[in-house]
Amino acid sequence: MNLKNMLLLTLSLWAAMVYSQEDMVLVLGSGGCKGLAHVGVIEELEKLGLPPNKIVGTSAGALVAALYAQKQDVQKVKKYLIDLKFQDLLSTSLFADQAISKRSNLEAFIDKHIKITEFSELPIDLVIVATNIDTGQAKYFSKGDVKKALLASVSIPGIYQPYKIHKTRYVDGGLSDPLPIGYAKSLNKGKVIASDIACALDSFKDKSLFDVLEKSFEVIYQNLSYREKDKADVLLQMQFRDIKHPFDNKQNKKIYKRGKAVVIENTEQIRKVFSISD
């Protein structure tokens, strides 16, 4: 092969790689500790040659998205989250206003693991979804301070106080757009893969306050995301009926593996949608 043909081949391979990267927007839905499944999803998509460089994340999905977006290192994201307990992010206090927990442990975790300040500094496009508690409308953050947007998106009502940004109060993005497929499609930046980590509604075991809160969010999730799901080019839908206590970190590895499995199960469809050869 002469030099000219080698250059043409190199350019063709490079163009194909760039096309595949720019042809996909990854949506990571809300779902509490089940967000670890998103890590498994990203890991398997990378193996297929589809590393996400555009992500729209809500709540738990926003946390995974932000951790990944700064360095595109899914193994580090896994390391940060695989042994994390929900309780580690709580600072329970009888004196916390409008919530059962202060935000100090949550903020400490985010400060420790997210070093990039501005969305514009990230190597990939990131959108974080939060809910304006005064209007009930979803807010799609893609500019400004990444950490502030993330703290807004993960502020679960009743657990944490609403988070204030420029005098506007925000809470968990799952209340307004738990699986933001429609918004991702509106970006017109490529085909959409959505990672859906909602529990089945028939799996409710009301043993604690957290069970009630979690199931309440699942009802909201299902109602708001029902019409969104058909808009995805690839919907990676998971069930967690066998995971009885999602706030127990002993389930973390099982949840992470569920994300890997759903991509493997849908590999044929993904290859077809994105024209990836075996």
Side-chain angles (χ1 to χ4, degrees):
M1 183 181 293
N2 60 37
L3 180 60
K4 180 180 179 180
N5 288 337
M6 287 180 64
L7 288 172
L8 288 173
L9 178 60
T10 301
L11 287 171
S12 296
L13 291 172
W14 176 83
M17 180 180 69
V18 171
Y19 173 78
S20 67
Q21 289 180 334
E22 294 183 346
D23 194 38
M24 186 259 283
V25 182
L26 180 62
V27 171
L28 303 181
S30 65
C33 296
K34 299 186 297 297
L36 258 168
H38 294 320
V39 180
V41 165
I42 293 173
E43 188 173 319
E44 290 301 319
L45 288 176
E46 285 186 345
K47 291 179 182 179
L48 289 174
L50 282 172
N53 65 357
K54 296 176 181 65
I55 309 179
V56 182
T58 298
S59 193
L63 177 60
V64 173
L67 289 169
Y68 181 81
Q70 61 178 345
K71 291 184 178 179
Q72 295 176 278
D73 189 337
V74 72
Q75 294 306 318
K76 283 192 175 181
V77 180
K78 177 184 173 183
K79 181 180 177 181
Y80 299 154
L81 299 179
I82 198 68
D83 293 318
L84 183 69
K85 301 176 184 178
F86 179 68
Q87 291 82 353
D88 294 338
L89 302 178
L90 299 178
S91 310
T92 307
S93 172
L94 294 175
F95 303 103
D97 185 26
Q98 301 176 328
I100 66 171
S101 175
K102 293 184 178 180
R103 220 186 314 266
S104 53
N105 285 0
L106 176 63
E107 289 180 341
F109 177 85
I110 290 174
D111 285 339
K112 179 179 179 180
H113 296 300
I114 295 181
K115 302 301 183 182
I116 291 178
T117 302
E118 299 290 324
F119 279 88
S120 60
E121 298 171 4
L122 294 169
I124 68 176
D125 292 341
L126 173 65
V127 178
I128 290 177
V129 186
T131 302
N132 182 325
I133 191 63
D134 295 310
T135 67
Q137 298 299 307
K139 171 69 175 180
Y140 303 92
F141 289 96
S142 59
K143 298 178 181 179
D145 191 303
V146 174
K147 292 181 183 180
K148 289 182 178 180
L150 181 55
L151 283 165
S153 184
V154 300
S155 289
I156 305 169
I159 304 297
Y160 300 111
Q161 293 175 305
Y163 189 79
K164 189 174 289 186
I165 301 176
H166 302 308
K167 298 183 179 180
T168 300
R169 299 181 304 158
Y170 295 98
V171 294
D172 195 293
L175 286 174
S176 56
D177 200 350
L179 192 65
I181 297 171
Y183 179 83
K185 294 293 284 188
S186 74
L187 297 175
N188 293 319
K189 291 188 175 181
K191 297 171 183 175
V192 172
I193 295 180
S195 179
D196 180 11
I197 57 173
C199 273
L201 290 178
D202 60 1
S203 63
F204 185 35
K205 302 292 182 182
D206 55 340
K207 294 182 178 180
S208 70
L209 169 64
F210 289 123
D211 289 329
V212 175
L213 287 172
E214 185 201 12
K215 187 49 59 178
S216 298
F217 273 91
E218 296 296 352
V219 172
I220 294 169
Y221 188 113
Q222 295 290 359
N223 288 334
L224 290 177
S225 66
Y226 178 77
R227 293 182 180 85
E228 295 280 292
K229 295 180 181 183
D230 289 342
K231 300 175 184 177
D233 296 285
V234 178
L235 179 63
L236 303 175
Q237 209 162 10
M238 289 160 265
Q239 295 294 345
F240 298 90
R241 290 186 177 92
D242 57 326
I243 298 175
K244 304 301 181 184
H245 303 287
F247 292 113
D248 181 355
N249 73 308
K250 293 178 181 178
Q251 305 293 330
N252 285 359
K253 291 182 181 178
K254 183 183 285 189
I255 292 169
Y256 156 74
K257 290 178 181 178
R258 192 66 47 84
K260 291 172 67 68
V262 75
V263 175
I264 294 170
E265 291 164 5
N266 288 274
T267 293
E268 185 176 344
Q269 182 194 3
I270 294 169
R271 289 186 183 279
K272 182 178 180 181
V273 169
F274 291 94
S275 301
I276 302 172
S277 58
D278 294 335

